[in-house]
Amino acid sequence: MRDLFSKLFNSGSANTTIEPYPYQIKVAELLLQSRNLVLTAPTGAGKTWAALFPFLYARKQKRDFADRVIYCLPLRTLASSLYESAKETLKQQGITPTLQMGNQPNDPLFQGDVIFTTIDQLLSAYIGLPFGTSKAAANIPAGALIGAYVIIDEFHLLSYTEALPTFLDMMKRLHPYTRFLLMTATSPEPVVSALVTHLDGMSVELQSAELNKLSTRKRSLYWRDKRMSGQDIADRHQGGRTLVIVNEVKRAQSLYSKLADILENQGRSIEVRVLHSRMFPKHREEVESWVTQAFSRNSEKEAILIATQVVEAGLDISATLLLTDLCPANALLQRVGRCARFADQEGTVEVYSLREGGVEHFLPYVSKQSKKEENDDYQIMLRTERALKELEPGAIITQELEKQLIETVHGEIDRKRITLVIHDLFLREDQVTRALIRGDAEMGELVRAIDNVSIIIHHSPEEVDLHQEPERVSMGRRGLYFFLSSLEWAKEEWENNQLIFVPQFPDAQDISARVTWKPIQSPKEVLAHMTVLLSPKLAKYHPVVGLQLQKEPLNCAEAGGRVSEFLENGQGAAFQRFSYKRETYLEHVREIRRLNQKESRRYLQATNALSRRFRMTPDQMEEIADLVTAVHDVGKLGVGVQRKMRRWQTEYKQKEELELLAHTDFDATNPEEVVAYRIGKYRPPHHAVEGAVALQEWCGKTFDRKVAVPILLAIMRHHNAYSKESDTIVFCKGAREHVLKSLQGLPYEPFLKPQTIQHRMDELVSWLRNSDVLAMYWYLSRRLRLADRISQQLKNQKNEGKEETDDWLS
């Protein structure tokens, strides 16, 4: 195991390899023994590869471990940076890494081997509000949790009121099916102990010998009793690499502009960059690439970076001078970890006050609306400030000082918080259960009150097609809401608004589906959407400074700045529309079965975990997944569906048709066909819930209820994760024969029961409160829906003259 670890992380020298710390090997051994862990290690101790190595080792040794890794970080920039730093090593090991974030939805369905994402993305997928895809597809990314290895980096940044209780509920609900590793550098011991107990896991800490290896770096700490200015930055920077971290985007943008003017007036030529979340991915990646080189371990470059919290954790960079706003002690130590990060380096840390003219600028850590004296976050800011003032100027930051600071500032408050969270966890369980059953999850209640929204900047909404993956800027949802509320528009201006739009997603069963844009008529509407389109008259964008919102709409000349561009040949998997070629029912079902069986290797650990839980063999579990794919479309054998499809083929396409079909010829790129298809004369009725209702009696008589229910749920929700209402259905002549032929090789002979009344499947859906039913439903839904999507991708490739490939992610 040690040899493989060393090979993976060769330092670049022909004769030198990086030897793993003992704790890294211990983490791997315990995880491979199916233990869930909480790891406490200081910044710069190699937690990232300690977390990833067990998965790589298990793949190399062909050992049971996990189908995929979902590596979650608190901030988007950290996820992006970690992805960039790790992807080449992972690819060399035959592992497919992907990056999934709200403004970079490259893997919204979690199809990679190692998915780097944010904690928000993970929890949103869990509660049924996935980013980067429509709500109708919510059961696909959720299914990725079954059989996964979930890593939460810097878990101390999870909110005690929203994210942490939801994550604890996830761990409890998915404990038999999912492995967890929680990592932190700055969580108090009582919090770690509580989480270990809840996980039924173990705690791992570095031994003193390991800590001593890290203690050769030297960092001096100074308190500055004033608010940082551009002049302070110019004065304090005397060569080397200066990292400036402030608490708000607007402040970073302002300091950058002021510093640039000061340096120009002084005739000093220093490369200065700004980094924050409100930048297009292309520009942010350019800055991150520059940062990782300019602030690398052995860099001798002179540079200044002004950033926000996006650099607090996960970035493998090292500054000689850190100038930072006051922030909570645990966040401060994360920032300190970016200064003199590596062994034998020396650096200086200066922490600046947030008081100015008798005003406390504690945003975003303390909201303006909170009653300060009663607010824990306010008390944390005061305690951090007091503790820093009490230190001797130039105090050396040691492991002992870090522990003392964390315990002094956070110990009592976090102990109280985690106790309350554990005590009230049954309430969160009820909230999540209701959300899963009703499909009415509230992001603000269950994930993060100040969650992010993706902003597209464009002057013509009708030109913005989400299939082409337009560039997006990320910002806090409530920040956008407060900005829009401050516009002071009259009622008539909102009613005639043509500057702010939100997407309207169509019915997932509509193959002519296209996202359209609707102007909002109230600022509150943005609180319910993940994506917002803003006119350049309101959103001024500069490649260096990023997004700047304008309270007074700009005129045409001023608004001539950059707008969102589209990825070349962009086809986002989350919003992909397919053209179709005629396909008979039997051809379609056999192809889906083939692809599902071919993809079974991607679900080995999920299959094993479910088979153990349901007391089956893995082969029996595979058989059930095969059955679901074989009968998922029985609703298409209804007279209403077949009549409309045959009418389309014979009348509109002018082609003779005698077979029972699964798909007709349809060109999604032809506007005339899209319009014609939407006419009721040709558009088939829904079929998914109808098929499940028709199979319900047979399924109930054939399987235990905990197996029958997820089978039926997967069938009824293979187009929309929240479908539950069915219409009447009468089956075509020959329907039963088609079903039996489609089941070739399976030991089942289902019967279809016509339905003369409409149904609401509330009782069936209510079974989702059972964790085992939920897990199997997500597993079956994911396998079925991805096989269906792959089928259409392959057919589109074939129609375009492309060869079939095993790489579904390309």
Side-chain angles (χ1 to χ4, degrees):
M1 185 180 285
R2 284 182 171 275
D3 291 342
L4 179 58
F5 199 106
S6 297
K7 285 180 182 178
L8 285 172
F9 314 120
N10 191 297
S11 63
S13 168
N15 302 314
T16 306
T17 56
I18 298 175
E19 289 297 323
Y21 290 112
Y23 92 87
Q24 293 173 320
I25 298 299
K26 183 178 180 182
V27 165
E29 290 173 345
L30 290 173
L31 284 167
L32 290 166
Q33 293 169 16
S34 302
R35 303 303 300 264
N36 292 321
L37 300 181
V38 179
L39 169 62
T40 303
T43 57
K47 293 193 296 292
T48 298
W49 290 109
L52 288 173
F53 178 69
F55 180 74
L56 300 179
Y57 180 79
R59 280 288 177 96
K60 201 81 172 176
Q61 299 296 319
K62 293 183 170 53
R63 288 183 56 173
D64 291 346
F65 184 62
D67 293 318
R68 66 196 62 83
V69 177
I70 304 177
Y71 197 123
C72 306
L73 295 118
L75 301 169
R76 293 182 179 188
T77 300
L78 307 184
S80 177
S81 173
L82 195 58
Y83 167 76
E84 291 297 329
S85 65
K87 66 179 182 181
E88 291 307 320
T89 300
L90 294 173
K91 287 178 180 178
Q92 289 170 10
Q93 299 302 312
I95 302 295
T96 301
T98 59
L99 178 65
Q100 169 57 27
M101 301 188 296
N103 60 341
Q104 288 180 277
N106 301 330
D107 190 10
L109 305 180
F110 293 171
Q111 291 179 272
D113 293 324
V114 177
I115 304 107
F116 293 95
T117 187
T118 62
I119 295 170
D120 285 1
Q121 294 264 335
L122 171 73
L123 296 182
S124 298
Y126 172 60
I127 64 173
L129 290 175
F131 288 83
T133 186
S134 67
K135 187 177 176 181
N139 50 8
I140 306 178
L145 294 169
I146 311 304
Y149 165 40
V150 174
I151 302 166
I152 302 291
D153 202 350
E154 307 303 349
F155 68 78
H156 65 273
L157 293 177
L158 273 68
S159 162
Y160 280 92
T161 53
E162 293 101 20
L164 183 59
T166 301
F167 181 64
L168 294 180
D169 177 78
M170 176 198 290
M171 289 193 295
K172 180 180 178 182
R173 204 180 295 251
L174 300 184
H175 182 267
Y177 307 105
T178 310
R179 303 188 186 202
F180 295 97
L181 170 63
L182 282 66
M183 303 194 296
T184 183
T186 56
S187 228
E189 193 281 330
V191 175
V192 172
S193 296
L195 293 176
V196 168
T197 300
H198 182 78
L199 263 176
D200 189 24
M202 293 181 63
S203 173
V204 176
E205 294 185 68
L206 274 69
Q207 301 302 309
S208 55
E210 295 172 287
L211 291 171
N212 290 337
K213 285 187 178 181
L214 298 170
S215 64
T216 56
R217 57 195 177 189
K218 182 180 179 182
R219 294 174 289 209
S220 306
L221 178 64
Y222 295 86
W223 169 257
R224 303 300 183 197
D225 207 12
K226 58 178 292 190
R227 200 163 191 220
M228 191 195 313
S229 67
Q231 190 64 55
D232 290 322
I233 301 171
D235 292 344
R236 292 296 300 123
H237 177 80
Q238 298 298 322
R241 289 154 302 288
T242 296
L243 173 60
V244 180
I245 305 180
V246 295
N247 298 339
E248 297 182 86
V249 172
K250 287 191 295 184
R251 182 156 159 72
Q253 292 171 326
S254 173
L255 283 174
Y256 170 81
S257 299
K258 291 174 181 176
L259 177 62
D261 290 341
I262 293 170
L263 294 177
E264 184 178 359
N265 291 336
Q266 292 178 349
R268 298 168 68 183
S269 180
I270 303 170
E271 198 165 3
V272 183
R273 298 289 184 95
V274 63
L275 179 63
H276 53 77
S277 60
R278 297 183 194 173
M279 304 176 79
F280 285 141
K282 176 183 177 181
H283 301 137
R284 193 184 68 244
E285 288 168 9
E286 289 173 355
V287 178
E288 289 174 357
S289 177
W290 174 83
V291 171
T292 54
Q293 293 179 27
F295 288 74
S296 64
R297 181 193 295 255
N298 300 314
S299 174
E300 297 181 1
K301 188 179 183 69
E302 182 180 8
I304 300 175
L305 173 67
I306 301 176
T308 59
Q309 296 92 328
V310 296
V311 299
E312 267 185 15
L315 280 182
D316 198 23
I317 60 174
S318 183
T320 48
L321 173 65
L322 170 65
L323 308 179
T324 174
D325 281 348
L326 174 70
C327 59
N330 55 11
L332 176 61
L333 293 182
Q334 292 292 336
R335 297 181 184 189
V336 169
R338 310 311 123 190
C339 178
R341 181 173 178 82
F342 304 109
D344 302 322
Q345 291 185 338
E346 294 188 12
T348 301
V349 176
E350 300 185 9
V351 184
Y352 284 76
S353 172
L354 293 178
R355 300 179 188 275
E356 187 176 42
V359 178
E360 299 166 335
H361 299 275
F362 284 179
L363 284 172
Y365 299 104
V366 182
S367 70
K368 293 178 180 179
Q369 289 75 29
S370 63
K371 294 181 179 180
K372 294 181 179 178
E373 290 71 18
E374 302 173 7
N375 186 280
D376 285 342
D377 294 320
Y378 181 71
Q379 293 301 322
I380 285 173
M381 292 293 282
L382 291 184
R383 291 184 182 197
T384 304
E385 182 181 53
R386 188 183 310 124
L388 293 173
K389 284 182 174 181
E390 291 174 355
L391 293 175
E392 290 291 328
I396 303 301
I397 303 173
T398 62
Q399 293 295 323
E400 291 72 22
L401 178 60
E402 291 187 10
K403 286 186 177 181
Q404 177 187 338
L405 189 60
I406 288 295
E407 187 57 39
T408 300
V409 174
H410 294 279
E412 176 189 346
I413 291 174
D414 282 7
R415 186 181 296 112
K416 177 185 69 175
R417 284 172 160 178
I418 193 66
T419 300
L420 187 61
V421 167
I422 298 293
H423 180 268
D424 292 342
L425 197 56
F426 73 97
L427 298 175
R428 179 53 48 92
E429 180 181 355
D430 188 52
Q431 281 181 292
V432 172
T433 298
R434 288 201 311 271
L436 294 173
I437 291 175
R438 299 177 184 176
D440 60 356
E442 286 289 338
M443 187 76 67
E445 290 182 4
L446 301 179
V447 178
R448 192 153 63 105
I450 309 178
D451 56 307
N452 289 332
V453 62
S454 293
I455 295 175
I456 297 170
I457 304 170
H458 210 276
H459 47 77
S460 302
E462 63 275 6
E463 296 179 16
V464 177
D465 186 350
L466 291 180
H467 296 74
Q468 295 180 308
E469 299 181 15
E471 294 176 309
R472 308 163 193 240
V473 180
S474 172
M475 74 172 291
R477 184 188 308 277
R478 292 195 175 273
L480 177 61
Y481 166 73
F482 289 132
F483 162 73
L484 296 178
S485 300
S486 71
L487 292 178
E488 298 181 354
W489 285 2
K491 181 180 179 182
E492 293 76 18
E493 290 178 286
W494 278 110
E495 289 176 349
N496 298 314
N497 162 47
Q498 291 297 312
L499 300 179
I500 312 150
F501 299 81
V502 292
Q504 299 294 293
F505 292 98
D507 188 326
Q509 294 193 51
D510 182 359
I511 63 172
S512 63
R514 179 181 175 85
V515 177
T516 56
W517 296 94
K518 179 181 83 73
I520 67 170
Q521 297 184 352
S522 164
K524 289 185 178 179
E525 289 187 49
V526 301
L527 298 177
H529 291 272
M530 304 292 183
T531 304
V532 177
L533 187 148
L534 296 181
S535 164
K537 294 182 178 181
L538 286 179
K540 185 177 181 181
Y541 185 87
H542 190 278
V544 175
V545 180
L547 173 69
Q548 295 174 294
L549 299 177
Q550 310 295 317
K551 285 191 176 183
E552 294 295 328
L554 302 171
N555 58 40
C556 292
E558 294 175 309
R562 199 180 187 287
V563 298
S564 298
E565 295 179 351
F566 304 98
L567 294 185
E568 188 176 354
N569 300 320
Q571 279 293 316
F575 305 108
Q576 192 162 358
R577 289 195 310 263
F578 296 111
S579 294
Y580 288 85
K581 288 293 184 182
R582 173 191 176 276
E583 188 176 29
T584 69
Y585 179 86
L586 289 176
E587 287 171 343
H588 175 64
V589 169
R590 287 166 181 165
E591 176 66 0
I592 302 301
R593 285 186 66 187
R594 181 185 76 84
L595 291 171
N596 175 59
Q597 292 164 7
K598 188 174 183 179
E599 290 290 277
S600 63
R601 67 186 187 279
R602 297 183 182 271
Y603 304 95
L604 291 176
Q605 303 313 314
T607 301
N608 290 339
L610 283 161
S611 62
R612 286 193 296 268
R613 191 71 176 177
F614 282 82
R615 297 181 180 179
M616 299 180 182
T617 65
D619 286 344
Q620 288 173 321
M621 189 59 61
E622 277 294 329
E623 192 175 85
I624 288 174
D626 192 14
L627 170 67
V628 170
T629 57
V631 298
H632 77 282
D633 258 352
V634 294
K636 283 187 175 179
L637 295 173
V639 171
V641 176
Q642 291 299 319
R643 179 181 291 133
K644 293 293 180 99
M645 287 198 288
R646 183 167 295 183
R647 181 178 292 165
W648 173 268
Q649 285 294 99
T650 56
E651 292 184 12
Y652 189 84
K653 288 292 188 177
Q654 297 292 304
K655 297 179 180 179
E656 184 180 0
E657 186 55 67
L658 299 174
E659 299 284 344
L660 297 183
L661 300 177
H663 297 126
T664 59
D665 292 307
F666 176 77
D667 183 0
T669 64
N670 185 330
E672 293 182 3
E673 287 202 19
V674 172
V675 172
Y677 182 84
R678 287 176 176 166
I679 299 172
K681 177 181 180 182
Y682 297 123
R683 187 173 179 174
H686 292 170
H687 65 274
V689 185
E690 290 74 11
V693 173
L695 286 167
Q696 184 172 2
E697 184 176 330
W698 170 79
C699 207
K701 290 179 177 178
T702 306
F703 299 99
D704 177 87
R705 277 183 289 182
K706 284 189 177 182
V707 176
V709 169
I711 289 174
L712 293 170
L713 286 172
I715 293 169
M716 67 184 269
R717 293 184 162 183
H718 75 267
H719 282 296
N720 190 317
Y722 296 100
S723 296
K724 64 178 181 180
E725 297 182 4
S726 77
D727 207 340
T728 60
I729 185 169
V730 177
F731 287 98
C732 295
K733 181 180 179 181
R736 176 167 170 74
E737 288 75 10
H738 272 65
V739 171
L740 294 178
K741 287 180 181 178
S742 68
L743 284 162
Q744 185 177 6
L746 288 170
Y748 303 109
E749 293 187 8
F751 57 83
L752 304 177
K753 193 161 186 179
Q755 302 296 315
T756 57
I757 61 173
Q758 296 175 331
H759 292 266
R760 277 179 60 90
M761 307 294 280
D762 295 292
E763 186 173 347
L764 200 68
V765 173
S766 69
W767 273 82
L768 291 177
R769 68 180 65 254
N770 182 288
S771 300
D772 296 324
V773 170
L774 177 70
M776 185 180 279
Y777 156 64
W778 277 347
Y779 163 83
L780 294 175
S781 295
R782 179 176 177 84
R783 293 193 63 167
L784 169 60
R785 297 193 70 176
L786 285 183
D788 205 353
R789 283 171 177 256
I790 292 169
S791 167
Q792 299 313 313
Q793 289 168 353
L794 292 177
K795 288 189 180 301
N796 276 261
Q797 289 176 5
K798 186 176 181 180
N799 295 335
E800 295 168 7
K802 297 178 181 178
E803 293 295 324
E804 179 180 340
T805 171
D806 282 338
D807 185 5
W808 313 121
L809 297 171
S810 61

